[in-house]
Amino acid sequence: MSNDALVTRLREHLGKAAVLTDSDVTDAYSRDMMPLAEAGKPLAVVLPSDVEGVRAVVKACAEFEVPIVPRGAGSGLSGAANAIDGCVVLVLTKLDQIVEIDEGNRLAVVQPGVVNLDFRNAVEKHGLFYPPDPSSYDWCTLGGNLSTNAGGLCCVKYGVTTDSVLGLEVVLADGSLLKTGRRTVKGVAGYDLARLFVGSEGTLGVITQATVALKPLPQLPSTLVAAFNSTEAAGEAVARVVREGLVPSLLEIMDATSIKAAEAYLKTDLGTSADCKALLLGQSDAGGEVARRELAALEQICIDCGADLAYATEDLEEGKMLLQARRVVLTALELYGVWLTDDVCVPRTRIAELIAGCERISEEVGLRIAVVGHAGDGNMHPTIVYSPDSEEEFARARKAFDAILEVALSLGGTVTGEHGIGRIKREWLAREIGEVGLRVHRQIKQALDPGNLFNPGSMFSL
């Protein structure tokens, strides 16, 4: 059966406008935001507008033995949504309906094409809150968040995407529709299949709907900033926060390189001294006296651990200005070149050792490496800056990327905290989970997708 016949079949099901084959157009859908990951040339890009369209695509591709790569907005940073040669890229952005918001039971039913920020704004009107907040929350889609088990700045208190998922609707490799999970607060009937699909990076099925839990809308946040003249002191402050049982809604760290980049970009002095080596930013969304007590305790810990400066504010705009320094780091680094961001997670007591390791790697490869991250859960994002016009610098950046993963594993950490494995960390997944773990992954894949239809080569190879 020819590729032309498949394209004709897809157009019969979806309409001509929803099946794109012009390479000038399809190239734009061939990769995500990770420059290291290889990407192929798709046969076609399809944009169904409902679940029946998705099922039709899956059935047709299975019949023609053409692989499918599911895709959302393309904001990912692992190559998990990258095309392979001759595949059909299944774009889910047109399934963009908020099906239901149930205030009484604090849950919502959503399609995968809903943008994270749009959803957060919609539930906020009902006095509710959807916690997962990836840095790309203003354009990433919930389907992509589900597929990669995305995190964000508030994970320290609210967890990652899977912690908000109650149930899923998934199109399987034979085109059948699996409905798994529940709408109740508790439920232990059968295997927890919903959590199996969350984070599977489109390798097991296509998520077409999710039921997610919502929280009461938090109070407006109060903010603390603390500056340290050593990363070790900042790391000790984080460890103390954990040991003493504090759970701020946000706890972020910036190293000296990221602080200087943010200051240059914002054209402002963050109030740190010239020898500031690390900045901690914390927030409490408890409100009122509870928030004041939380920040006072956090401030005291920072002072006890040697902070040169510790400042807390209840002023919302002032808090936003302080947090802006953390949010602009990646953009700020573009002043020096293009960036390649890593994603590792280490025990919270070993954050300072990771930063020290990144400083050593920076010296070895001769490239700027800035470290920012979610100190509250140990998820760090070392970011390597290199010249886009230099293949030699790109090679050194790739070397640094792998060296950082090596350091993370040596510290008892993991090679990804929230971005996923995708096509750039397959060998590292094998190293982390071992031979038995990889065998189980392959057995699950073969059980659900015996024809290797979905996203072949992502995460691991069969």
Side-chain angles (χ1 to χ4, degrees):
M1 291 183 286
S2 71
N3 289 337
D4 288 343
L6 173 58
V7 171
T8 298
R9 177 82 62 83
L10 293 171
R11 285 177 171 157
E12 288 173 354
H13 286 301
L14 304 181
K16 185 176 180 180
V19 181
L20 312 175
T21 57
D22 186 331
S23 61
D24 290 339
V25 178
T26 60
D27 283 352
Y29 291 93
S30 67
R31 64 178 313 116
D32 66 12
M33 300 293 289
M34 169 48 70
L36 290 183
E38 71 272 14
K41 296 281 188 181
L43 166 68
V45 171
V46 298
L47 296 95
S49 57
D50 57 28
V51 66
E52 291 307 315
V54 174
R55 297 180 69 186
V57 171
V58 170
K59 290 177 182 178
C61 288
E63 179 183 342
F64 282 78
E65 298 183 342
V66 170
I68 295 170
V69 176
R71 175 190 169 93
S75 63
L77 289 163
S78 70
N82 284 15
I84 59 174
D85 288 337
C87 77
V88 168
V89 175
L90 175 55
V91 183
L92 296 157
T93 51
K94 287 191 175 181
L95 278 75
D96 60 357
Q97 298 301 304
I98 300 173
V99 179
E100 177 187 1
I101 298 174
D102 183 341
E103 297 178 46
N105 289 300
R106 293 212 300 260
L107 61 83
V109 179
V110 293
Q111 292 185 323
V114 176
V115 172
N116 185 292
L117 180 59
D118 292 343
F119 181 53
R120 289 164 65 90
N121 288 339
V123 299
E124 185 174 329
K125 294 175 183 177
H126 297 265
L128 298 170
F129 172 54
Y130 180 67
D133 64 337
S135 295
S136 57
Y137 72 124
D138 56 342
W139 66 289
C140 67
T141 58
L142 296 179
N145 296 169
L146 291 161
S147 292
T148 59
N149 199 10
L153 271 65
C154 67
C155 291
V156 57
K157 183 173 182 178
Y158 296 106
V160 294
T161 296
T162 190
D163 296 304
S164 295
V165 175
L166 295 173
L168 297 175
E169 179 184 271
V170 185
V171 176
L172 300 179
D174 62 358
S176 60
L177 191 64
L178 169 69
K179 296 184 180 181
T180 184
R182 63 194 194 278
R183 290 173 65 99
T184 55
V185 175
K186 296 172 66 178
V188 293
Y191 295 138
D192 193 347
L193 296 179
R195 286 178 180 259
L196 175 62
F197 285 97
V198 175
S200 64
E201 300 181 10
T203 61
L204 301 178
V206 182
I207 297 171
T208 54
Q209 189 168 277
T211 301
V212 296
L214 304 173
K215 302 284 187 184
L217 189 65
Q219 299 296 310
L220 296 176
S222 301
T223 306
L224 174 130
V225 60
F228 298 83
N229 61 14
S230 76
T231 53
E232 291 78 13
E236 175 56 26
V238 173
R240 281 272 305 276
V241 169
V242 176
R243 284 199 301 269
E244 297 190 14
L246 292 178
V247 187
S249 57
L250 175 149
L251 187 61
E252 297 289 298
I253 192 168
M254 299 170 61
D255 73 347
T257 302
S258 57
I259 294 167
K260 290 173 184 175
E263 287 181 330
Y265 178 79
L266 294 172
K267 296 181 173 59
T268 187
D269 184 347
L270 296 178
T272 61
S273 62
D275 61 348
C276 177
K277 295 297 188 294
L279 203 65
L280 281 184
L281 291 156
Q283 284 190 333
S284 171
D285 62 5
E289 185 57 35
V290 175
R292 283 189 283 273
R293 287 199 303 269
E294 284 187 351
L295 284 193
L298 187 59
E299 183 177 8
Q300 189 60 54
I301 287 172
C302 291
I303 292 170
D304 291 346
C305 290
D308 294 327
L309 172 142
Y311 172 71
T313 178
E314 295 181 43
D315 184 273
L316 183 62
E317 291 306 314
E318 190 175 18
K320 286 180 179 179
M321 289 175 60
L322 292 171
L323 199 59
Q324 186 184 23
R326 163 65 181 90
R327 292 192 181 277
V328 303
V329 168
L330 290 181
T331 304
L333 290 172
E334 292 175 358
L335 295 171
Y336 310 105
V338 297
W339 51 260
L340 172 62
T341 190
D342 217 325
D343 162 49
V344 295
C345 195
V346 296
R348 290 168 289 191
T349 54
R350 310 199 75 174
I351 290 172
E353 292 173 77
L354 176 71
I355 294 175
C358 291
E359 291 173 351
R360 174 181 54 77
I361 294 167
S362 176
E363 293 175 2
E364 289 174 355
V365 301
L367 295 174
R368 186 189 307 264
I369 299 179
V371 183
V372 295
H374 316 312
D377 56 28
N379 190 187
M380 298 290 104
H381 297 301
T383 301
I384 308 147
V385 183
Y386 64 95
S387 169
D389 303 319
S390 172
E391 291 186 10
E392 190 270 337
E393 281 201 15
F394 180 74
R396 282 188 275 146
R398 174 74 218 219
K399 179 181 178 182
F401 186 90
D402 286 338
I404 291 167
L405 298 178
E406 185 77 58
V407 169
L409 285 182
S410 73
L411 295 174
T414 175
V415 296
T416 177
E418 59 187 7
H419 294 168
I421 295 295
R423 299 184 184 278
I424 56 166
K425 295 182 180 179
R426 287 175 294 197
E427 67 274 24
W428 292 96
L429 175 66
R431 286 183 57 175
E432 181 171 327
I433 67 175
E435 182 180 341
V436 175
L438 194 58
R439 186 186 76 214
V440 173
H441 274 67
R442 286 173 173 151
Q443 289 172 335
I444 293 171
K445 169 74 168 171
Q446 288 168 341
L448 289 171
D449 183 17
N452 201 18
L453 178 70
F454 293 127
N455 214 0
S458 188
M459 294 184 74
F460 55 89
S461 60
L462 294 178

